[in-house]
Amino acid sequence: MKILNVVGARPNFMKIAPIVEEMKKAPGLNGVLVHTGQHYDEGMSDVFFRDLGIPVPDVCLGVGSGSHAEQTGQIMVEFEKVCLREKPDLVVVVGDVNSTMACTIVAAKLLIPVAHVEAGLRSFDRTMPEEINRLVTDALASILFTTSRDADENLKREGVDPSKIHFAGNVMIDTLLKHRRKAGAVRIEKPAKYALVTLHRPSNVDDPNVLGPILEALNQISKSIPVLFPIHPRTAKRVQDFGFTMNGIQMMEPLGYLEFLNLESTATVVLTDSGGLQEETTILGVPCLTLRNNTERPVTITHGTNVMAGPDKGRILEAFRRIMNGDWKPSGPPEYWDGHAAERIVRVIRDIRER
């Protein structure tokens, strides 16, 4: 059974790594790794392949950056050539980036079954590009692997045949648990207490009326504890374009997976608009303030350490004060966030092959 495993952007790499590794152990499965190149430079791509032990991709599409339409269209053109050449029995896509949706559309039109890892997540906010990607991918996929029970229910409400849905758990946590000790051994200078920040979503960084108050909150927090900010290139450009100052914030270049996990695991608090960090902090037991008004991962609130602060300065500072006063209670971990999600995924694929 020939399987094309598709990755494209930084969040994908942590999700595909354990699946690729598990497929190597499975007799009869021939995994081919396809990198679309949506994230393509040293800091956003290459270092992650090294840190996670992902083999050199068998196919690189080299798409690069561009608008959503340009990037999606280019991926579709190039991925169609790969599908026609490789003639796969299955395409596996992960997450919710443009590469996920683009490759799903191509495979579906060529009548190649698609398995979506991390299916069923919903923010119910269609202004988010990721939400559109999730909806389209799940509508076309033949096999839907979910990370939480609420994702199962989302898919059923949308009319998905329950026989297509497989609750497998969270492959991001497979990667975290495997590399946690190695990350802890990385030598990196850091304060005894600190806040760790990531920001990249267009809704937060493209509007100065939203980004400004967030940065004001971070500057205020920096008067209490150091604020470390590995800054996304997009965010750095917006800060410069808008003329904002971050005098109290320690900006850093984007970090590799192991370096970032080291910082994340010992942070006093994480402030982020990333979905993946909501999940990781839940397992690490680190309080997380999500700088969005919604989340596609509500299980991190009910069974984790996540607090929905939104991009509002007052709410951010109030939530930060509560955490510093010890007014938060971690819970969890969520069901099947146990380091064995990839095993369950590959087992389902093998069972389908043998039918």
Side-chain angles (χ1 to χ4, degrees):
M1 184 181 191
K2 180 182 280 190
I3 302 169
L4 299 187
N5 294 309
V6 177
V7 292
R10 180 171 172 154
N12 287 171
F13 305 144
M14 292 84 84
K15 296 165 189 172
I16 206 69
I19 296 171
V20 168
E21 183 175 346
E22 199 62 31
M23 279 188 183
K24 288 180 181 177
K25 305 174 189 175
L29 298 189
N30 173 23
V32 177
L33 185 59
V34 179
H35 185 2
T36 68
Q38 183 177 331
H39 281 169
Y40 51 89
D41 63 10
E42 167 70 17
M44 299 296 282
S45 176
D46 295 354
V47 67
F48 277 74
F49 276 78
R50 290 198 301 272
D51 283 355
L52 300 174
I54 302 174
V56 175
D58 300 287
V59 180
C60 293
L61 304 186
V63 169
S65 58
S67 72
H68 285 288
E70 290 169 334
Q71 197 172 66
T72 301
Q74 191 62 33
I75 292 168
M76 291 178 68
V77 169
E78 297 303 321
F79 187 65
E80 182 181 55
K81 298 174 186 174
V82 175
C83 288
L84 293 173
R85 181 178 70 243
E86 297 288 340
K87 296 180 174 56
D89 301 294
L90 179 70
V91 170
V92 174
V93 297
V94 296
D96 53 21
V97 300
N98 288 341
S99 298
T100 304
M101 180 184 72
C103 293
T104 297
I105 293 171
V106 169
K109 289 197 171 189
L110 293 174
L111 305 182
I112 302 167
V114 175
H116 182 204
V117 175
E118 207 180 70
L121 299 183
R122 297 290 182 268
S123 67
F124 305 102
D125 177 3
R126 294 198 181 191
T127 67
M128 294 176 61
E130 296 89 347
E131 185 78 351
I132 304 301
N133 293 344
R134 288 189 284 259
L135 287 163
V136 173
T137 300
D138 287 343
L140 296 176
S142 305
I143 309 170
L144 297 142
F145 292 111
T146 59
T147 61
S148 56
R149 298 290 186 182
D150 59 281
D152 292 18
E153 296 308 312
N154 290 337
L155 293 168
K156 290 174 186 175
R157 277 197 302 272
E158 292 168 10
V160 174
D161 183 343
S163 68
K164 295 182 177 181
I165 303 169
H166 303 270
F167 175 43
N170 194 332
V171 287
M172 284 270 289
I173 305 309
D174 291 18
T175 297
L176 184 151
L177 294 176
K178 178 181 178 181
H179 293 282
R180 187 175 183 180
R181 181 176 293 180
K182 187 177 179 181
V186 173
R187 297 186 65 180
I188 183 168
E189 289 189 19
K190 54 188 177 182
K193 290 186 175 182
Y194 57 92
L196 180 63
V197 177
T198 75
L199 277 175
H200 74 280
R201 295 198 179 274
S203 58
N204 278 339
V205 305
D206 287 357
D207 184 345
N209 296 317
V210 178
L211 182 58
I214 293 174
L215 296 181
E216 289 173 11
L218 297 178
N219 278 317
Q220 187 69 30
I221 289 169
S222 72
K223 296 176 182 178
S224 301
I225 59 174
V227 174
L228 310 185
F229 190 176
I231 193 162
H232 191 285
R234 176 195 186 93
T235 308
K237 186 175 187 309
R238 294 294 183 266
V239 170
Q240 184 178 28
D241 291 345
F242 298 146
F244 290 135
T245 58
M246 296 196 291
N247 296 330
I249 301 169
Q250 300 179 33
M251 286 192 291
M252 311 162 70
E253 293 292 320
L255 300 173
Y257 179 76
L258 296 177
E259 292 172 303
F260 188 86
L261 179 55
N262 181 296
L263 284 182
E264 186 184 7
S265 62
T266 56
T268 305
V269 59
V270 170
L271 300 96
T272 186
D273 57 12
S274 161
L277 264 65
Q278 295 171 43
E279 297 174 324
E280 291 175 346
T281 50
T282 282
I283 297 302
L284 294 170
V286 174
C288 175
L289 300 187
T290 295
L291 309 182
R292 291 164 46 191
N293 289 317
N294 54 57
T295 179
E296 60 284 349
R297 295 164 169 87
V299 71
T300 62
I301 297 174
T302 58
H303 295 75
T305 62
N306 188 17
V307 176
M308 193 68 56
D312 179 82
K313 177 182 175 181
R315 288 169 58 193
I316 294 169
L317 293 175
E318 175 58 28
F320 172 74
R321 280 191 289 269
R322 288 202 310 270
I323 286 167
M324 294 303 289
N325 290 331
D327 183 15
W328 68 283
K329 292 182 179 179
S331 62
E335 186 181 6
Y336 277 2
W337 292 26
D338 57 3
H340 300 286
E343 295 172 28
R344 289 186 280 268
I345 287 168
V346 171
R347 190 181 308 131
V348 169
I349 292 172
R350 286 186 63 191
D351 288 347
I352 290 171
R353 171 183 175 269
E354 290 167 3
R355 286 176 192 168

